[in-house]
Amino acid sequence: METVILEASSPEQIRAAVSRACRFLNRGQIVALPTETVYGLAACAFNPVACASVFEAKQRPAFDPLIVHVLDKTMLNQVAEVPADIADPIDRLVSEFWPGPLTLVLPKKPEVPDIVTAGLDTVAVRCSKHPVFKAVIKEIGAPIAAPSANRFGSISPTSSSAVMSELSERIPMIIDSGACSEGMESTIVRVEASGKTKPFIHILRPGPVTVEMLKKTGKVITGKQLPPVGEKLEAPGQLASHYAPRTPLQLLEKPSDFKPQEGQRYAMLSYRGQPKDGFIDLHPWHEVEILSPGSGKMPEAAVRFFFALRKLDQCGADAIIAEPVPERGVGLAIQDRLRRASAKP
Ligand code: TXA
Ligand code: MG
């Protein structure tokens, strides 16, 4: 199957691309669409056969559920049941962070096909703020299931060319709206009543909506422990090994952890490229990517992260050496992805 890339920058291009994408979706086909986090592989959420094609194109195991994207709170109520004891905090999170990079795990409505939720009784719901994605949901008039548009376990795509290198000839079209503005997948949370005013907010996957941002709504709980591969998981996609480049990646804790071997070419993924951090001058690197040059700004580092990782993966090095990133703000999400990228499958 030929994969067509449709550029969508001007309002006319957006209109044309959106209506073409909707024709595919209404026929039960799947298409790649931009969101503010990463590109997604979209299917009509209420069409189980279309959703099965998403699993097939990504080679994603059936135990790993999809995120359902909605237009607003009304559409949220078509796919999820909000329990009375967390209705207030869910309302607060929705009004503060939607549309935006926050995904809520809630009890599912029976209308959501089991294939979407991998048989779980919960569904992950997100509301993207990307104008193209919003326009598609609006025109379809129903929720869209969309995981990141990459092969299972691989690096998330933040551009149409990255989607192309992951899924070309497996999907009929990609809408190209340039680079994603966040560059990191949404934060996934589950809210639990605590019996006190503030509920527990469990972060199942760290992302652009940070611990600091969630603190005023609830007591934030982050699971630092990586779940072992294959175990039944609360966030089934949060496997220890994920987001992995093809080139082996080593995440350093400190400069002295780097032990180069004779004849090996090493590429460096640096946070801010500062000699005083002790990593950038350790070795005559084959290639270097700096996430946020100079003083180090976390959101900028997140935007460039998957792009830089993909570039180093293709530079011909034998291994990628990653400098650690401070675990504040979206740095928690970057370190989470680096740990998974470095874990052995
Ligand atoms: O930013 C994003 O969230 C992007 C864009 C395209 O929206 N989507 C994305 O989807 O990252 P995906 O499929 O690559 O990751 C979804 C994660 C997986 O780790 C999956 O296991 C988890 O969400 N998930 C889905 N449904 C769940 C549920 N009911 N309970 C817990 N985790 C769930
Ligand atoms: Mg993914």
Side-chain angles (χ1 to χ4, degrees):
M1 168 192 322
E2 196 203 345
T3 306
V4 184
I5 302 183
L6 283 191
E7 192 191 326
S9 309
S10 70
E12 298 77 49
Q13 286 174 328
I14 294 179
R15 262 196 301 278
V18 165
S19 84
R20 188 138 169 220
C22 291
R23 281 203 297 278
F24 279 117
L25 291 167
N26 281 325
R27 285 203 299 262
Q29 287 181 282
I30 59 177
V31 295
L33 303 176
T35 85
E36 72 278 35
T37 58
V38 301
Y39 276 71
L41 182 56
C44 286
F46 290 149
N47 181 338
V49 178
C51 293
S53 311
V54 169
F55 283 88
E56 198 187 319
K58 279 184 59 101
Q59 297 174 314
R60 181 177 179 120
F63 64 77
D64 193 4
L66 308 180
I67 293 182
V68 172
H69 297 66
V70 297
L71 190 61
D72 50 24
K73 184 115 196 276
T74 313
M75 204 178 268
L76 163 71
N77 292 321
Q78 287 176 23
V79 295
E81 206 76 66
V82 180
D85 60 354
I86 56 166
D88 280 352
I90 292 291
D91 258 349
R92 252 176 287 147
L93 292 174
V94 164
S95 26
E96 185 162 0
F97 298 109
W98 278 16
L102 180 70
T103 297
L104 302 168
V105 171
L106 290 162
K108 90 185 229 338
K109 284 259 167 84
E111 288 80 4
V112 180
D114 284 336
I115 186 166
V116 171
T117 59
L120 296 176
D121 51 14
T122 55
V123 58
V125 195
R126 157 158 147 70
C127 176
S128 169
K129 69 171 172 221
H130 198 287
V132 166
F133 208 101
K134 272 168 56 176
V136 168
I137 303 187
K138 206 166 175 190
E139 193 161 322
I140 298 280
I144 296 283
S148 50
N150 52 276
R151 302 278 185 109
F152 179 71
S154 171
I155 305 171
S156 291
T158 51
S159 67
S160 67
S161 61
V163 177
M164 204 60 182
S165 69
E166 293 282 332
L167 296 173
S168 81
E169 296 179 12
R170 297 181 152 247
I171 56 175
M173 84 173 270
I174 304 170
I175 297 188
D176 177 4
S177 292
C180 300
S181 61
E182 299 283 354
M184 183 62 62
E185 306 90 341
S186 63
T187 305
I188 305 181
V189 300
R190 184 172 65 81
V191 177
E192 185 194 3
S194 67
K196 301 194 179 122
T197 8
K198 277 193 172 181
F200 297 124
I201 300 180
H202 299 271
I203 296 193
L204 307 183
R205 177 176 73 182
V209 173
T210 62
V211 173
E212 293 82 350
M213 290 154 89
L214 292 166
K215 254 183 194 160
K216 59 175 180 294
T217 311
K219 183 170 167 28
V220 181
I221 298 164
T222 54
K224 287 247 161 167
Q225 197 95 44
L226 290 181
V229 176
E231 198 169 281
K232 187 140 175 53
L233 307 165
E234 189 171 23
Q238 290 300 76
L239 299 173
S241 170
H242 216 85
Y243 312 103
R246 289 184 188 90
T247 315
L249 182 143
Q250 188 193 354
L251 171 59
L252 302 179
E253 266 180 45
K254 49 186 187 313
S256 59
D257 290 344
F258 180 53
K259 308 265 187 283
Q261 282 173 19
E262 195 62 44
Q264 294 283 295
R265 283 161 308 174
Y266 294 98
M268 155 88 338
L269 182 61
S270 170
Y271 169 44
R272 50 182 196 169
Q274 284 276 10
K276 67 177 177 205
D277 294 339
F279 295 92
I280 194 86
D281 294 334
L282 265 179
H283 189 76
W285 306 108
H286 179 66
E287 186 85 52
V288 175
E289 278 291 319
I290 300 173
L291 294 177
S292 178
S295 56
K297 291 191 183 58
M298 224 34 109
E300 181 189 24
V303 168
R304 288 186 38 76
F305 177 69
F306 282 122
F307 171 80
L309 195 54
R310 194 171 282 277
K311 212 161 153 209
L312 293 183
D313 199 16
Q314 289 159 358
C315 78
D318 299 299
I320 300 169
I321 307 300
E323 175 183 327
V325 166
E327 288 190 273
R328 59 180 148 76
V330 73
L332 184 69
I334 300 176
Q335 276 290 99
D336 169 78
R337 306 308 188 265
L338 281 173
R339 284 201 193 94
R340 291 175 206 280
S342 68
K344 303 275 174 299

